[in-house]
Amino acid sequence: MADLIATPPRIFIQTFGCQMNELDSGKMLRLLEGDGYAATDQADDADVILINTCSVREKPEQKVRSLLGRYKGLKEANPDLIIGVTGCYAQQAKGELLRRFPLVDLVMGPDAIPRLPALVMDIQHSRSRSLATEQLDRQDYPFVNDVVVAQGGSVTAFVNIQKGCDNLCSFCIVPFTRGREVSRSADDVLDEVRRLAERGVREVTLLGQNVNSYGLKKSDAPAFHDLVAAVAGVQGIARIRFTTSNPWDLDEGLIQLYRDQQKLASYFHLPVQAGADSMLLRMRRKHTRAEYLLLVERLRQARPDLALSTDIIVGFPGETEEEHEQTLSLLEAVRYDFIYSFKYSPRPDTQAVSKYEDDVPGAVKKRRLAEIQDMQRLVTDERLQSWVGRDVEVLIEGPSKRDPQWLSGRIGQNWMVSLPGAARLVGTLVDVRIDEAVSNSLSGHANHRDTVARAGGRLTVL
Ligand code: SAH
Ligand code: F3S
């Protein structure tokens, strides 16, 4: 009897980096839940701690070191505590991590995720340390088919459609940490989307490093736009997003889908990295400035209210003032809704490191980044402001973090909107009038007169 009511062992996962890492953390959690573990948000309570790392830019080793410093006392108090380092930095540093950090029991790359329960059990039984960083580049790679829905009955979910990347952009470590590109079978993707929809998910984001090339290596796989169209056909799914998409594999089929398929959100994250052809060439991007601008034009023709975002790197080796100006002028030409911008940081194994010197001084990188961000800030503010007074469709995701009487959700263009309203609207599409643009989000009120009444001077959905 005692066994039945014993508290389950607990797992704590700390996640860094991109949406793929977030999804991976969810999958690791689900896999261990299947073995009787329960999630905790307190490292102090945990029997297993996983640090799911990112090595795309920052200094991942320092982050791991400082976290392990915090967990040292926990391990001393509980020698059975298992500490693992997972994700892209684990894949990059491999055995070096075990050598450098005696506290670490498990070093596991992204490809080993399906084996996590077995690896943990093995460490428990043998009390030995484990390294799982072999890469699986097989086309029958075993994607984890478990549905991952964030706690609290999520309205939105990520769905993995692809792993790895076959491009070798010269600055990028991802092809080394995540391996060759493999597409997940369309049947599995659709099956997962159906199961998510049954659990109340209304919006899915299809995830891959280079989603436009989905299926290209498999003769029997649909093209990416056909996959998106099939996902749109799943009952209950109201909205579809995807990331990341690269300009050179973007074809007419997807542009056409923006014209025809209203469930495809009016949002496109299309990384450009730089505005000068000479830089794009050194970065080994397979598009020119003119080709990129043409794509933007065609996308906007297909979907006039499309919101666009991008990634920019400043200070890539050899970047001249003139090249930097061209990035600024590209931002001006496109007028993105928002951008992610980064200072170049040399990454191990990449071609940029072996071929070029990191020769743009830190102060110059800093100034160029500030110039880019200052210019974009003005455009982003204008774009946000342009929503005021307009009617939009908001997919309500849950109560607002600031005020539980309020709800928050997103419009297709990806902006967060908060509005007063009742919890029963979570998971529904609500017609909203935007009243205000505040920092990086919008606020408004529901338009349905029959569901709205004034209470204490404030709009409340009954
Ligand atoms: N296709 C991937 C790209 C991953 S990296 C995806 O799913 O998003 C995300 C962004 O980080 C890149 O688009 C690039 O702008 C930036 N980045 C990658 N390597 C970098 C480096 N070495 N230095 C600075 N920024 C980098
Ligand atoms: Fe990286 Fe380029 Fe692939 S940015 S993930 S190598 S498309």
Side-chain angles (χ1 to χ4, degrees):
M1 243 359 238
D3 276 349
L4 286 177
I5 51 168
T7 52
R10 290 177 195 275
I11 168 152
F12 172 73
I13 307 185
Q14 187 143 23
T15 309
F16 296 94
C18 65
Q19 290 146 321
M20 193 69 91
N21 256 17
E22 257 179 67
L23 180 61
D24 283 351
S25 289
K27 293 203 183 287
M28 294 195 286
L29 196 60
R30 287 303 305 265
L31 286 167
L32 285 178
E33 278 173 355
D35 262 17
Y37 281 79
T40 171
D41 53 10
Q42 301 289 327
D44 311 23
D45 286 349
D47 300 276
V48 175
I49 294 177
L50 299 178
I51 308 171
N52 196 11
T53 59
C54 169
S55 59
V56 163
R57 283 175 303 269
E58 313 83 355
K59 301 189 166 90
E61 189 194 330
Q62 284 171 18
K63 275 194 188 151
V64 169
R65 188 183 298 279
S66 95
L67 279 176
L68 289 174
R70 271 198 253 160
Y71 300 151
K72 195 162 182 237
L74 297 177
K75 184 95 169 180
E76 278 161 6
N78 172 17
D80 289 337
L81 172 67
I82 294 178
I83 298 182
V85 180
T86 65
C88 287
Y89 181 56
Q91 186 64 44
Q92 177 203 321
K94 300 190 176 70
E96 193 54 34
L97 263 167
L98 289 176
R99 275 188 290 282
R100 238 178 280 163
F101 301 111
L103 222 56
V104 172
D105 304 287
L106 170 68
V107 172
M108 186 183 90
D111 280 5
I113 289 174
R115 292 167 50 215
L116 178 65
L119 289 164
V120 167
M121 207 192 293
D122 216 44
I123 295 169
Q124 271 162 346
H125 290 153
S126 65
R127 296 309 315 164
S128 62
R129 305 167 82 204
S130 188
L131 177 68
T133 50
E134 66 282 15
Q135 283 186 318
L136 302 176
D137 293 335
R138 313 187 321 240
Q139 288 304 310
D140 61 347
Y141 172 79
F143 285 91
V144 176
N145 280 329
D146 241 355
V147 165
V148 175
V149 182
Q151 280 153 343
S154 260
V155 172
T156 62
F158 295 132
V159 175
N160 196 189
I161 66 163
Q162 187 188 50
K163 83 163 199 88
C165 182
D166 281 355
N167 293 296
L168 289 167
C169 302
S170 63
F171 51 81
C172 186
I173 198 173
V174 171
F176 304 97
T177 58
R178 297 244 167 206
R180 304 284 87 199
E181 183 182 300
V182 183
S183 293
R184 185 178 178 196
S185 91
D187 285 347
D188 283 358
V189 171
L190 287 168
D191 180 55
E192 183 166 320
V193 174
R194 274 185 214 110
R195 286 188 289 150
L196 288 167
E198 279 161 19
R199 292 177 191 203
V201 167
R202 309 292 315 279
E203 175 185 302
V204 288
T205 302
L206 307 178
L207 283 189
Q209 305 297 339
N210 191 24
V211 294
N212 288 133
S213 62
Y214 172 86
L216 292 184
K217 282 169 142 184
K218 282 184 175 165
S219 57
D220 56 344
F224 176 62
H225 58 90
D226 290 328
L227 181 73
V228 176
V231 169
V234 173
Q235 202 184 350
I237 294 299
R239 219 184 244 172
I240 302 161
R241 302 182 189 278
F242 56 82
T243 200
T244 297
S245 185
N246 285 301
W248 56 89
D249 284 321
L250 172 55
D251 64 6
E252 189 51 41
L254 190 62
I255 295 175
Q256 191 60 39
L257 214 58
Y258 272 102
R259 208 167 268 129
D260 302 338
Q261 180 48 261
Q262 294 311 308
K263 287 187 183 179
L264 185 55
S266 290
Y267 171 63
F268 206 130
H269 179 65
L270 194 57
V272 68
Q273 314 297 355
D277 283 342
S278 47
M279 284 278 289
L280 293 171
L281 205 64
R282 293 207 294 289
M283 289 176 162
R284 295 192 79 189
R285 301 287 287 178
K286 301 177 196 165
H287 61 89
T288 62
R289 176 191 177 102
E291 283 163 351
Y292 185 91
L293 289 174
L294 187 63
L295 278 176
V296 167
E297 198 183 309
R298 284 165 62 205
L299 283 164
R300 282 181 168 155
Q301 269 164 11
R303 184 72 71 89
D305 68 352
L306 188 72
L308 280 166
S309 62
T310 201
D311 291 341
I312 299 285
I313 297 178
V314 302
F316 184 80
E319 186 186 53
T320 62
E321 212 50 42
E322 218 259 306
E323 286 171 328
H324 168 61
E325 292 290 332
Q326 291 211 41
T327 300
L328 286 167
S329 82
L330 181 115
L331 295 183
E332 219 164 39
V334 177
R335 293 179 57 80
Y336 292 99
D337 289 67
F338 57 95
I339 65 167
Y340 302 93
S341 49
F342 316 102
K343 282 191 242 171
Y344 168 70
S345 75
R347 303 281 79 208
D349 301 323
T350 58
Q351 211 194 67
V353 161
S354 52
K355 225 170 142 180
Y356 309 113
E357 207 185 313
D358 180 18
D359 57 358
V360 178
V364 175
K365 283 183 186 166
K366 194 172 163 197
R367 194 240 317 144
R368 289 180 184 166
L369 188 67
E371 283 176 8
I372 283 193
Q373 291 177 343
D374 288 350
M375 165 184 272
Q376 182 57 40
R377 186 70 252 166
L378 296 176
V379 181
T380 294
D381 286 348
E382 254 177 61
R383 288 232 175 250
L384 260 170
Q385 214 57 48
S386 75
W387 289 101
V388 175
R390 283 165 70 181
D391 292 332
V392 295
E393 208 175 44
V394 179
L395 177 59
I396 306 294
E397 294 181 15
S400 152
K401 285 196 187 94
R402 275 183 297 134
D403 181 345
Q405 304 293 311
W406 282 52
L407 300 169
S408 77
R410 276 172 207 275
I411 57 175
Q413 286 83 351
N414 215 31
W415 296 112
M416 286 301 300
V417 177
S418 54
L419 63 150
R424 66 179 170 73
L425 293 176
V426 171
T428 64
L429 285 163
V430 176
D431 179 18
V432 173
R433 167 72 51 90
I434 299 297
D435 299 319
E436 211 184 345
V438 266
S439 58
N440 269 328
S441 65
L442 302 166
S443 69
H445 64 271
N447 270 328
H448 311 295
R449 289 197 169 274
D450 55 339
T451 53
V452 177
R454 288 209 173 264
R458 208 178 191 195
L459 284 171
T460 309
V461 177
L462 294 173

